[in-house]
Amino acid sequence: MTGISTAGPVWRKSRRCEATTCVEVAGIGPMVGVRDSTDPDVHLEFSAPAWTAFVARFSAGGPGRVGGDAD
């Protein structure tokens, strides 16, 4: 018999984390949670495909990144 897990999501900090200003992500069921480490009680949730598309665009220099387009 398998028990129900009461553990919360496992949050991972960005590799670009500064001393106190960090973005954290966690798998929350089929969603990806994103939060500010200074306010851990609040998070946003995105579908896995939406999060993957965001990361791919950001990594490629998309809007909001130096050298990216200004959509």
Side-chain angles (χ1 to χ4, degrees):
M1 183 170 170
T2 303
I4 297 174
S5 173
T6 57
V10 176
W11 294 93
R12 297 180 316 273
K13 290 186 179 184
S14 167
R15 287 180 278 166
R16 296 180 180 248
C17 180
E18 298 291 331
T20 59
T21 55
C22 299
V23 172
E24 299 177 327
V25 297
I28 303 174
M31 307 296 280
V32 176
V34 182
R35 71 179 184 184
D36 177 348
S37 64
T38 63
D39 191 6
D41 294 330
V42 179
H43 69 272
L44 300 172
E45 291 185 14
F46 300 92
S47 69
W51 180 251
T52 300
F54 169 78
V55 171
R57 186 167 183 183
F58 187 83
S59 297
R65 178 142 180 188
V66 175
D69 298 332
D71 282 350

